[in-house]
Amino acid sequence: AQSVTQLGSHVSVSEGALVLLRCNYSSSVPPYLFWYVQYPNQGLQLLLKYTSAATLVKGINGFEAEFKKSETSFHLTKPSAHMSDAAEYFCAVSPSLYSSASKIIFGSGTRLSIRP
Amino acid sequence: GAVVSQHPSRVICKSGTSVKIECRSLDFQATTMFWYRQFPKKSLMLMATSNEGSKATYEQGVEKDKFLINHASLTLSTLTVTSAHPEDSSFYICSAREWEGGEETQYFGPGTRLLVL
């Protein structure tokens, strides 16, 4: 079985400060990992995904995440927060991207607030 | 990226009525679509996997007679909430799987907010 745990349901940072959203995964097979962002009353937008190529993955809007197998982590970072980054962020895991049986399992989400 | 639409975006209905939500892949064909439910300030819970031309696969604890799924074409899946009750009020999100280069990507719709009075 696979799962992801997001540490911290709410993170608040100042504008211009570093953003760090934590995600740890559990998987019996090499995982595929994702970060999604959800703005209020909207669907999900893919920020980035890890597919076993480079361990440092760059996404949209200046976000990146690093896959660390030894720590079973896939934390999301952005060097400098912008007010428009305020949203809900979801870490997710899937056992495969090549199987019709693959399903994406979501973490509980982290709400990111940006202080002026 | 590919676009997935949902209709309606918001619906209010009376208890006991049925509500149909549509999910369309606008610029690609999707043999598989997924339906999720999201409670306020909570994560997405996978309800079912919708397969074109065959029966949907429901997750444990999801009533298949309550949440009817039809995937009649490669670009359309529908979720019908039958005999809706206030506890069915929620945000319903669909996603559609696109295959490209042997790898899949799921694109999410904007969601449908259902309020049952």
Side-chain angles (χ1 to χ4, degrees):
Chain A
Q2 296 191 311
S3 65
V4 287
T5 301
Q6 291 184 242
L7 302 175
S9 59
H10 182 209
V11 171
S12 179
V13 302
S14 298
E15 189 174 17
L18 171 71
V19 174
L20 171 61
L21 303 183
R22 300 178 186 273
C23 173
N24 288 90
Y25 69 89
S26 173
S27 178
S28 56
V29 297
Y32 295 92
L33 295 159
F34 311 82
W35 275 99
Y36 286 88
V37 60
Q38 184 181 33
Y39 297 100
N41 297 311
Q42 295 187 28
L44 274 69
Q45 181 181 9
L46 180 66
L47 279 177
L48 50 82
K49 65 180 179 182
Y50 166 74
T51 59
S52 75
T55 56
L56 182 62
V57 183
K58 294 187 182 299
I60 61 172
N61 301 338
F63 284 94
E64 62 181 38
E66 186 172 9
F67 173 74
K68 291 187 177 181
K69 184 177 180 181
S70 61
E71 298 177 8
T72 62
S73 68
F74 190 58
H75 301 332
L76 181 71
T77 60
K78 182 174 180 177
S80 177
H82 192 273
M83 295 300 292
S84 61
D85 294 327
E88 189 85 17
Y89 291 80
F90 293 97
C91 181
V93 63
S94 175
S96 171
L97 293 178
Y98 305 95
S99 166
S100 60
S102 63
K103 294 184 286 192
I104 294 180
I105 305 300
F106 287 87
S108 55
T110 298
R111 182 164 60 92
L112 176 63
S113 300
I114 311 296
R115 301 187 300 270
Chain B
V3 178
V4 175
S5 70
Q6 282 184 241
H7 178 78
S9 58
R10 183 185 297 264
V11 57
I12 300 173
C13 69
K14 292 182 179 180
S15 185
T17 61
S18 294
V19 174
K20 179 185 285 188
I21 303 170
E22 295 184 348
C23 177
R24 294 181 185 272
S25 55
L26 297 185
D27 47 5
F28 66 100
Q29 293 183 331
T31 55
T32 304
M33 294 184 176
F34 301 87
W35 286 98
Y36 295 84
R37 182 173 180 177
Q38 184 179 33
F39 292 99
K41 301 183 190 262
K42 297 290 185 182
S43 186
L44 280 74
M45 180 192 77
L46 179 64
M47 298 174 65
T49 302
S50 172
N51 303 297
E52 189 268 338
S54 64
K55 291 182 179 180
T57 304
Y58 291 82
E59 295 300 302
Q60 190 173 10
V62 178
E63 300 176 61
K64 61 181 181 181
D65 295 330
K66 173 75 172 177
F67 299 99
L68 300 179
I69 292 173
N70 185 287
H71 195 153
S73 78
L74 288 172
T75 59
L76 173 65
S77 174
T78 61
L79 169 68
T80 301
V81 183
T82 62
S83 186
H85 288 92
E87 57 265 30
D88 298 323
S89 298
S90 193
F91 194 50
Y92 293 88
I93 301 176
C94 74
S95 70
R97 171 191 276 146
E98 181 184 34
W99 291 94
E100 191 172 22
E103 183 178 295
E104 73 150 295
T105 300
Q106 281 194 33
Y107 294 96
F108 286 80
T112 296
R113 186 161 302 283
L114 170 64
L115 177 60
V116 184
L117 302 177

